[in-house]
Short mmCIF file of all heavy atoms in Angstrom, two decimals:
data_model
loop_
_atom_site.label_atom_id
_atom_site.label_comp_id
_atom_site.label_asym_id
_atom_site.label_seq_id
_atom_site.Cartn_x
_atom_site.Cartn_y
_atom_site.Cartn_z
N SER A 173 -42.34 26.11 -54.58
CA SER A 173 -43.26 27.26 -54.47
C SER A 173 -43.21 27.81 -53.05
O SER A 173 -42.79 27.12 -52.11
CB SER A 173 -44.69 26.82 -54.79
OG SER A 173 -45.20 25.96 -53.78
N LYS A 174 -43.65 29.04 -52.90
CA LYS A 174 -43.67 29.65 -51.58
C LYS A 174 -44.56 28.87 -50.63
O LYS A 174 -44.21 28.64 -49.47
CB LYS A 174 -44.15 31.10 -51.70
CG LYS A 174 -43.94 31.94 -50.46
CD LYS A 174 -44.23 33.41 -50.74
CE LYS A 174 -43.93 34.29 -49.53
NZ LYS A 174 -44.16 35.72 -49.81
N ALA A 175 -45.71 28.41 -51.12
CA ALA A 175 -46.63 27.63 -50.29
C ALA A 175 -46.03 26.29 -49.92
O ALA A 175 -46.17 25.81 -48.79
CB ALA A 175 -47.96 27.45 -51.01
N GLY A 176 -45.37 25.65 -50.89
CA GLY A 176 -44.76 24.34 -50.62
C GLY A 176 -43.64 24.45 -49.61
O GLY A 176 -43.52 23.59 -48.71
N ILE A 177 -42.82 25.47 -49.71
CA ILE A 177 -41.73 25.67 -48.75
C ILE A 177 -42.29 25.94 -47.37
O ILE A 177 -41.80 25.40 -46.36
CB ILE A 177 -40.82 26.83 -49.22
CG1 ILE A 177 -40.09 26.44 -50.52
CG2 ILE A 177 -39.83 27.21 -48.15
CD1 ILE A 177 -39.40 27.58 -51.21
N ALA A 178 -43.35 26.73 -47.29
CA ALA A 178 -43.97 27.01 -45.99
C ALA A 178 -44.51 25.73 -45.37
O ALA A 178 -44.39 25.51 -44.15
CB ALA A 178 -45.09 28.04 -46.16
N ARG A 179 -45.11 24.87 -46.19
CA ARG A 179 -45.71 23.63 -45.68
C ARG A 179 -44.65 22.64 -45.20
O ARG A 179 -44.83 21.99 -44.16
CB ARG A 179 -46.56 22.99 -46.77
CG ARG A 179 -47.31 21.73 -46.33
CD ARG A 179 -48.30 21.28 -47.38
NE ARG A 179 -47.64 20.92 -48.65
CZ ARG A 179 -47.72 21.63 -49.77
NH1 ARG A 179 -48.42 22.76 -49.79
NH2 ARG A 179 -47.11 21.24 -50.87
N VAL A 180 -43.54 22.54 -45.92
CA VAL A 180 -42.53 21.53 -45.60
C VAL A 180 -41.49 22.05 -44.62
O VAL A 180 -41.10 21.35 -43.68
CB VAL A 180 -41.84 21.04 -46.89
CG1 VAL A 180 -40.72 20.06 -46.56
CG2 VAL A 180 -42.86 20.40 -47.82
N ASN A 181 -41.02 23.27 -44.82
CA ASN A 181 -39.91 23.81 -44.02
C ASN A 181 -40.34 24.82 -42.97
O ASN A 181 -39.50 25.27 -42.18
CB ASN A 181 -38.87 24.46 -44.94
CG ASN A 181 -38.40 23.55 -46.07
OD1 ASN A 181 -38.53 23.90 -47.25
ND2 ASN A 181 -37.88 22.38 -45.74
N ASP A 182 -41.60 25.22 -42.98
CA ASP A 182 -42.18 26.14 -42.01
C ASP A 182 -41.43 27.47 -41.97
O ASP A 182 -41.14 28.02 -40.91
CB ASP A 182 -42.21 25.51 -40.62
CG ASP A 182 -43.15 26.25 -39.67
OD1 ASP A 182 -44.00 27.03 -40.16
OD2 ASP A 182 -43.01 26.07 -38.44
N VAL A 183 -41.08 27.98 -43.17
CA VAL A 183 -40.47 29.31 -43.29
C VAL A 183 -41.13 30.04 -44.46
O VAL A 183 -41.64 29.41 -45.39
CB VAL A 183 -38.95 29.24 -43.53
CG1 VAL A 183 -38.21 28.82 -42.28
CG2 VAL A 183 -38.61 28.33 -44.70
N THR A 184 -41.10 31.35 -44.38
CA THR A 184 -41.59 32.18 -45.49
C THR A 184 -40.40 32.51 -46.37
O THR A 184 -39.46 33.18 -45.95
CB THR A 184 -42.23 33.47 -44.96
OG1 THR A 184 -43.33 33.11 -44.10
CG2 THR A 184 -42.75 34.32 -46.10
N LEU A 185 -40.43 32.00 -47.60
CA LEU A 185 -39.25 32.07 -48.45
C LEU A 185 -39.67 32.22 -49.90
O LEU A 185 -40.57 31.51 -50.37
CB LEU A 185 -38.43 30.78 -48.28
CG LEU A 185 -36.97 30.80 -48.70
CD1 LEU A 185 -36.16 31.73 -47.81
CD2 LEU A 185 -36.40 29.40 -48.64
N ASN A 186 -39.03 33.13 -50.60
CA ASN A 186 -39.25 33.28 -52.03
C ASN A 186 -38.41 32.25 -52.77
O ASN A 186 -37.18 32.24 -52.63
CB ASN A 186 -38.85 34.70 -52.45
CG ASN A 186 -39.14 34.97 -53.91
OD1 ASN A 186 -38.89 34.14 -54.77
ND2 ASN A 186 -39.64 36.16 -54.20
N PRO A 187 -39.02 31.36 -53.56
CA PRO A 187 -38.24 30.32 -54.24
C PRO A 187 -37.12 30.87 -55.12
O PRO A 187 -36.03 30.29 -55.17
CB PRO A 187 -39.30 29.58 -55.07
CG PRO A 187 -40.60 29.87 -54.40
CD PRO A 187 -40.46 31.22 -53.81
N GLU A 188 -37.37 31.98 -55.81
CA GLU A 188 -36.33 32.53 -56.67
C GLU A 188 -35.15 33.05 -55.86
O GLU A 188 -33.99 32.96 -56.31
CB GLU A 188 -36.92 33.64 -57.56
CG GLU A 188 -37.92 33.14 -58.57
CD GLU A 188 -37.34 32.10 -59.53
OE1 GLU A 188 -36.15 32.25 -59.91
OE2 GLU A 188 -38.05 31.15 -59.90
N SER A 189 -35.42 33.58 -54.68
CA SER A 189 -34.32 34.02 -53.81
C SER A 189 -33.50 32.82 -53.34
O SER A 189 -32.26 32.88 -53.27
CB SER A 189 -34.86 34.78 -52.60
OG SER A 189 -35.54 35.95 -53.00
N HIS A 190 -34.19 31.73 -53.03
CA HIS A 190 -33.49 30.53 -52.59
C HIS A 190 -32.67 29.94 -53.75
O HIS A 190 -31.56 29.45 -53.53
CB HIS A 190 -34.49 29.51 -52.06
CG HIS A 190 -33.86 28.49 -51.15
ND1 HIS A 190 -33.07 28.84 -50.08
CD2 HIS A 190 -33.91 27.13 -51.15
CE1 HIS A 190 -32.65 27.74 -49.46
NE2 HIS A 190 -33.15 26.70 -50.10
N LEU A 191 -33.22 30.00 -54.94
CA LEU A 191 -32.48 29.56 -56.12
C LEU A 191 -31.20 30.37 -56.28
O LEU A 191 -30.13 29.81 -56.57
CB LEU A 191 -33.34 29.69 -57.37
CG LEU A 191 -32.63 29.44 -58.71
CD1 LEU A 191 -32.16 28.00 -58.82
CD2 LEU A 191 -33.56 29.80 -59.87
N GLN A 192 -31.26 31.67 -56.06
CA GLN A 192 -30.06 32.49 -56.18
C GLN A 192 -29.03 32.11 -55.14
O GLN A 192 -27.82 32.08 -55.43
CB GLN A 192 -30.43 33.97 -56.06
CG GLN A 192 -29.26 34.91 -56.36
CD GLN A 192 -28.69 34.69 -57.75
OE1 GLN A 192 -29.41 34.76 -58.75
NE2 GLN A 192 -27.39 34.41 -57.83
N ARG A 193 -29.48 31.80 -53.93
CA ARG A 193 -28.54 31.34 -52.90
C ARG A 193 -27.88 30.03 -53.33
O ARG A 193 -26.67 29.82 -53.11
CB ARG A 193 -29.25 31.18 -51.56
CG ARG A 193 -29.55 32.51 -50.86
CD ARG A 193 -30.09 32.31 -49.46
NE ARG A 193 -31.51 32.01 -49.46
CZ ARG A 193 -32.47 32.92 -49.38
NH1 ARG A 193 -32.17 34.21 -49.31
NH2 ARG A 193 -33.74 32.57 -49.39
N LEU A 194 -28.66 29.16 -53.93
CA LEU A 194 -28.11 27.90 -54.45
C LEU A 194 -27.06 28.16 -55.53
O LEU A 194 -25.98 27.55 -55.52
CB LEU A 194 -29.25 27.04 -55.01
CG LEU A 194 -28.85 25.78 -55.78
CD1 LEU A 194 -28.09 24.81 -54.89
CD2 LEU A 194 -30.09 25.10 -56.36
N LEU A 195 -27.35 29.05 -56.44
CA LEU A 195 -26.41 29.37 -57.51
C LEU A 195 -25.14 30.00 -56.93
O LEU A 195 -24.02 29.69 -57.39
CB LEU A 195 -27.07 30.31 -58.51
CG LEU A 195 -28.29 29.77 -59.26
CD1 LEU A 195 -28.89 30.84 -60.17
CD2 LEU A 195 -27.95 28.52 -60.07
N ASN A 196 -25.30 30.86 -55.94
CA ASN A 196 -24.13 31.45 -55.27
C ASN A 196 -23.24 30.36 -54.67
O ASN A 196 -22.01 30.39 -54.82
CB ASN A 196 -24.57 32.39 -54.14
CG ASN A 196 -25.28 33.63 -54.62
OD1 ASN A 196 -25.21 33.99 -55.79
ND2 ASN A 196 -25.98 34.30 -53.71
N CYS A 197 -23.88 29.44 -53.98
CA CYS A 197 -23.15 28.38 -53.30
C CYS A 197 -22.42 27.49 -54.31
O CYS A 197 -21.23 27.19 -54.15
CB CYS A 197 -24.14 27.55 -52.47
SG CYS A 197 -23.37 26.22 -51.54
N ALA A 198 -23.13 27.08 -55.36
CA ALA A 198 -22.54 26.17 -56.35
C ALA A 198 -21.39 26.81 -57.10
O ALA A 198 -20.52 26.11 -57.62
CB ALA A 198 -23.63 25.70 -57.31
N ALA A 199 -21.38 28.13 -57.16
CA ALA A 199 -20.29 28.82 -57.84
C ALA A 199 -19.01 28.83 -57.01
O ALA A 199 -17.92 29.08 -57.55
CB ALA A 199 -20.70 30.26 -58.16
N THR A 200 -19.12 28.54 -55.71
CA THR A 200 -17.95 28.60 -54.83
C THR A 200 -17.50 27.25 -54.31
O THR A 200 -16.35 27.10 -53.89
CB THR A 200 -18.24 29.52 -53.63
OG1 THR A 200 -19.41 29.07 -52.96
CG2 THR A 200 -18.46 30.96 -54.08
N CYS A 201 -18.39 26.25 -54.31
CA CYS A 201 -18.06 24.93 -53.79
C CYS A 201 -18.92 23.89 -54.49
O CYS A 201 -20.09 24.15 -54.78
CB CYS A 201 -18.32 24.88 -52.28
SG CYS A 201 -17.76 23.35 -51.46
N PRO A 202 -18.38 22.70 -54.81
CA PRO A 202 -19.21 21.65 -55.43
C PRO A 202 -20.47 21.39 -54.60
O PRO A 202 -20.39 21.22 -53.38
CB PRO A 202 -18.29 20.43 -55.44
CG PRO A 202 -16.91 21.02 -55.47
CD PRO A 202 -16.99 22.27 -54.64
N THR A 203 -21.61 21.37 -55.27
CA THR A 203 -22.89 21.38 -54.56
C THR A 203 -23.88 20.39 -55.15
O THR A 203 -24.04 20.32 -56.37
CB THR A 203 -23.51 22.79 -54.60
OG1 THR A 203 -22.63 23.72 -53.96
CG2 THR A 203 -24.87 22.83 -53.92
N PHE A 204 -24.52 19.64 -54.27
CA PHE A 204 -25.69 18.82 -54.60
C PHE A 204 -26.93 19.48 -54.01
O PHE A 204 -26.86 20.09 -52.94
CB PHE A 204 -25.59 17.42 -53.98
CG PHE A 204 -24.73 16.44 -54.72
CD1 PHE A 204 -23.39 16.31 -54.41
CD2 PHE A 204 -25.27 15.65 -55.72
CE1 PHE A 204 -22.60 15.40 -55.08
CE2 PHE A 204 -24.48 14.74 -56.41
CZ PHE A 204 -23.13 14.60 -56.08
N ILE A 205 -28.05 19.33 -54.66
CA ILE A 205 -29.34 19.60 -54.04
C ILE A 205 -29.72 18.37 -53.23
O ILE A 205 -29.50 17.24 -53.65
CB ILE A 205 -30.42 19.89 -55.10
CG1 ILE A 205 -30.19 21.27 -55.74
CG2 ILE A 205 -31.83 19.81 -54.51
CD1 ILE A 205 -31.11 21.55 -56.91
N GLN A 206 -30.28 18.59 -52.04
CA GLN A 206 -30.85 17.48 -51.27
C GLN A 206 -32.34 17.77 -51.06
O GLN A 206 -32.72 18.87 -50.68
CB GLN A 206 -30.13 17.28 -49.94
CG GLN A 206 -30.12 18.49 -49.04
CD GLN A 206 -29.90 18.14 -47.58
OE1 GLN A 206 -29.88 16.98 -47.20
NE2 GLN A 206 -29.74 19.15 -46.75
N THR A 207 -33.15 16.77 -51.32
CA THR A 207 -34.60 16.94 -51.30
C THR A 207 -35.25 15.78 -50.57
O THR A 207 -35.01 14.62 -50.90
CB THR A 207 -35.16 17.00 -52.74
OG1 THR A 207 -34.57 18.10 -53.43
CG2 THR A 207 -36.67 17.15 -52.72
N CYS A 208 -36.10 16.09 -49.60
CA CYS A 208 -36.89 15.08 -48.92
C CYS A 208 -38.33 15.17 -49.42
O CYS A 208 -38.93 16.25 -49.42
CB CYS A 208 -36.87 15.29 -47.41
SG CYS A 208 -37.75 14.02 -46.47
N MET A 209 -38.87 14.04 -49.87
CA MET A 209 -40.27 13.98 -50.29
C MET A 209 -40.98 12.90 -49.49
O MET A 209 -40.41 11.84 -49.22
CB MET A 209 -40.39 13.73 -51.79
CG MET A 209 -39.98 14.91 -52.64
SD MET A 209 -40.42 14.70 -54.40
CE MET A 209 -39.90 16.29 -55.05
N PHE A 210 -42.25 13.16 -49.17
CA PHE A 210 -43.00 12.27 -48.29
C PHE A 210 -44.49 12.50 -48.50
O PHE A 210 -44.90 13.50 -49.10
CB PHE A 210 -42.63 12.54 -46.82
CG PHE A 210 -42.69 13.99 -46.45
CD1 PHE A 210 -43.86 14.57 -45.98
CD2 PHE A 210 -41.57 14.80 -46.60
CE1 PHE A 210 -43.92 15.91 -45.67
CE2 PHE A 210 -41.61 16.15 -46.27
CZ PHE A 210 -42.78 16.71 -45.81
N GLY A 211 -45.27 11.59 -48.01
CA GLY A 211 -46.71 11.76 -48.03
C GLY A 211 -47.16 12.68 -46.91
O GLY A 211 -46.57 12.68 -45.81
N PHE A 212 -48.20 13.47 -47.18
CA PHE A 212 -48.74 14.39 -46.19
C PHE A 212 -50.25 14.17 -46.15
O PHE A 212 -50.92 14.26 -47.17
CB PHE A 212 -48.41 15.83 -46.57
CG PHE A 212 -48.42 16.80 -45.43
CD1 PHE A 212 -47.26 17.10 -44.75
CD2 PHE A 212 -49.60 17.42 -45.02
CE1 PHE A 212 -47.26 18.00 -43.69
CE2 PHE A 212 -49.62 18.32 -43.96
CZ PHE A 212 -48.44 18.61 -43.29
N ASP A 213 -50.75 13.83 -44.97
CA ASP A 213 -52.18 13.51 -44.82
C ASP A 213 -52.61 12.43 -45.80
O ASP A 213 -53.70 12.48 -46.37
CB ASP A 213 -53.03 14.77 -45.01
CG ASP A 213 -52.85 15.77 -43.88
OD1 ASP A 213 -52.47 15.35 -42.76
OD2 ASP A 213 -53.08 16.98 -44.10
N GLY A 214 -51.73 11.44 -45.99
CA GLY A 214 -52.08 10.28 -46.80
C GLY A 214 -51.87 10.44 -48.29
O GLY A 214 -52.11 9.49 -49.05
N SER A 215 -51.42 11.61 -48.74
CA SER A 215 -51.26 11.84 -50.17
C SER A 215 -49.82 12.27 -50.48
O SER A 215 -49.22 13.03 -49.71
CB SER A 215 -52.22 12.93 -50.66
OG SER A 215 -53.57 12.55 -50.44
N PRO A 216 -49.28 11.83 -51.60
CA PRO A 216 -47.96 12.29 -52.02
C PRO A 216 -48.04 13.72 -52.50
O PRO A 216 -49.14 14.28 -52.67
CB PRO A 216 -47.61 11.33 -53.17
CG PRO A 216 -48.94 10.95 -53.75
CD PRO A 216 -49.89 10.89 -52.58
N PRO A 217 -46.90 14.37 -52.74
CA PRO A 217 -46.94 15.71 -53.33
C PRO A 217 -47.76 15.72 -54.61
O PRO A 217 -47.73 14.77 -55.40
CB PRO A 217 -45.46 15.99 -53.61
CG PRO A 217 -44.73 15.18 -52.60
CD PRO A 217 -45.53 13.92 -52.44
N SER A 218 -48.51 16.79 -54.81
CA SER A 218 -49.38 16.88 -55.98
C SER A 218 -48.56 17.11 -57.24
O SER A 218 -47.37 17.46 -57.19
CB SER A 218 -50.36 18.05 -55.81
OG SER A 218 -49.66 19.29 -55.86
N GLU A 219 -49.20 16.95 -58.39
CA GLU A 219 -48.51 17.21 -59.65
C GLU A 219 -48.07 18.67 -59.73
O GLU A 219 -46.99 18.98 -60.26
CB GLU A 219 -49.41 16.85 -60.83
CG GLU A 219 -48.81 17.17 -62.20
CD GLU A 219 -47.45 16.54 -62.43
OE1 GLU A 219 -47.20 15.42 -61.93
OE2 GLU A 219 -46.61 17.17 -63.12
N THR A 220 -48.87 19.58 -59.19
CA THR A 220 -48.46 20.99 -59.15
C THR A 220 -47.21 21.17 -58.31
O THR A 220 -46.28 21.90 -58.69
CB THR A 220 -49.60 21.85 -58.60
OG1 THR A 220 -50.74 21.74 -59.47
CG2 THR A 220 -49.18 23.31 -58.52
N ASP A 221 -47.17 20.52 -57.14
CA ASP A 221 -45.99 20.59 -56.28
C ASP A 221 -44.75 20.08 -57.01
O ASP A 221 -43.68 20.70 -56.96
CB ASP A 221 -46.18 19.77 -55.00
CG ASP A 221 -47.19 20.38 -54.05
OD1 ASP A 221 -47.34 21.62 -54.06
OD2 ASP A 221 -47.84 19.62 -53.30
N ILE A 222 -44.90 18.95 -57.68
CA ILE A 222 -43.76 18.35 -58.38
C ILE A 222 -43.31 19.24 -59.53
O ILE A 222 -42.11 19.47 -59.74
CB ILE A 222 -44.13 16.94 -58.89
CG1 ILE A 222 -44.46 16.02 -57.71
CG2 ILE A 222 -42.99 16.35 -59.72
CD1 ILE A 222 -45.09 14.71 -58.12
N ALA A 223 -44.27 19.77 -60.29
CA ALA A 223 -43.93 20.64 -61.42
C ALA A 223 -43.21 21.90 -60.95
O ALA A 223 -42.23 22.34 -61.58
CB ALA A 223 -45.20 20.99 -62.20
N ASP A 224 -43.67 22.49 -59.85
CA ASP A 224 -43.00 23.68 -59.30
C ASP A 224 -41.57 23.35 -58.89
O ASP A 224 -40.64 24.12 -59.15
CB ASP A 224 -43.77 24.22 -58.10
CG ASP A 224 -45.08 24.89 -58.48
OD1 ASP A 224 -45.23 25.28 -59.66
OD2 ASP A 224 -45.95 25.01 -57.59
N TYR A 225 -41.41 22.21 -58.24
CA TYR A 225 -40.09 21.78 -57.80
C TYR A 225 -39.16 21.55 -58.99
O TYR A 225 -38.02 22.04 -59.01
CB TYR A 225 -40.22 20.50 -56.96
CG TYR A 225 -38.90 19.82 -56.69
CD1 TYR A 225 -38.05 20.28 -55.69
CD2 TYR A 225 -38.50 18.72 -57.44
CE1 TYR A 225 -36.83 19.66 -55.44
CE2 TYR A 225 -37.29 18.10 -57.21
CZ TYR A 225 -36.45 18.57 -56.21
OH TYR A 225 -35.24 17.97 -55.99
N LEU A 226 -39.64 20.81 -59.98
CA LEU A 226 -38.82 20.51 -61.15
C LEU A 226 -38.43 21.79 -61.90
O LEU A 226 -37.29 21.94 -62.37
CB LEU A 226 -39.54 19.55 -62.09
CG LEU A 226 -39.82 18.15 -61.55
CD1 LEU A 226 -40.63 17.34 -62.54
CD2 LEU A 226 -38.52 17.44 -61.22
N ALA A 227 -39.35 22.73 -62.00
CA ALA A 227 -39.06 23.98 -62.70
C ALA A 227 -37.97 24.76 -61.98
O ALA A 227 -37.12 25.41 -62.62
CB ALA A 227 -40.33 24.82 -62.80
N LEU A 228 -37.96 24.69 -60.63
CA LEU A 228 -36.95 25.42 -59.87
C LEU A 228 -35.58 24.77 -60.00
O LEU A 228 -34.60 25.44 -60.34
CB LEU A 228 -37.37 25.50 -58.40
CG LEU A 228 -36.52 26.42 -57.52
CD1 LEU A 228 -36.75 27.88 -57.88
CD2 LEU A 228 -36.82 26.19 -56.04
N VAL A 229 -35.51 23.46 -59.74
CA VAL A 229 -34.19 22.82 -59.73
C VAL A 229 -33.59 22.76 -61.13
O VAL A 229 -32.36 22.77 -61.29
CB VAL A 229 -34.26 21.41 -59.10
CG1 VAL A 229 -34.74 21.49 -57.66
CG2 VAL A 229 -35.13 20.46 -59.91
N LYS A 230 -34.44 22.73 -62.16
CA LYS A 230 -33.92 22.68 -63.53
C LYS A 230 -33.08 23.91 -63.85
O LYS A 230 -32.15 23.85 -64.65
CB LYS A 230 -35.08 22.54 -64.51
CG LYS A 230 -34.65 22.26 -65.95
CD LYS A 230 -35.83 21.81 -66.81
CE LYS A 230 -36.78 22.95 -67.08
NZ LYS A 230 -37.81 22.59 -68.09
N GLN A 231 -33.41 25.02 -63.19
CA GLN A 231 -32.66 26.26 -63.44
C GLN A 231 -31.23 26.20 -62.89
O GLN A 231 -30.39 27.04 -63.25
CB GLN A 231 -33.39 27.44 -62.82
CG GLN A 231 -34.75 27.72 -63.43
CD GLN A 231 -35.46 28.88 -62.75
OE1 GLN A 231 -35.06 30.04 -62.90
NE2 GLN A 231 -36.50 28.58 -62.00
#
Side-chain angles (χ1 to χ4, degrees):
S173 68
K174 192 171 184 178
I177 293 168
R179 184 171 62 251
V180 176
N181 308 123
D182 197 17
V183 287
T184 300
L185 199 67
N186 184 318
E188 293 301 323
S189 298
H190 201 51
L191 172 65
Q192 188 58 56
R193 284 188 279 269
L194 171 62
L195 297 177
N196 293 343
C197 182
T200 56
C201 187
T203 299
F204 280 92
I205 288 173
Q206 58 158 353
T207 300
C208 183
M209 289 191 177
F210 49 89
F212 203 94
D213 291 335
S215 299
S218 68
E219 177 55 34
T220 298
D221 289 331
I222 298 168
D224 288 340
Y225 168 80
L226 295 176
L228 189 69
V229 299
K230 189 167 71 171
Q231 296 178 71

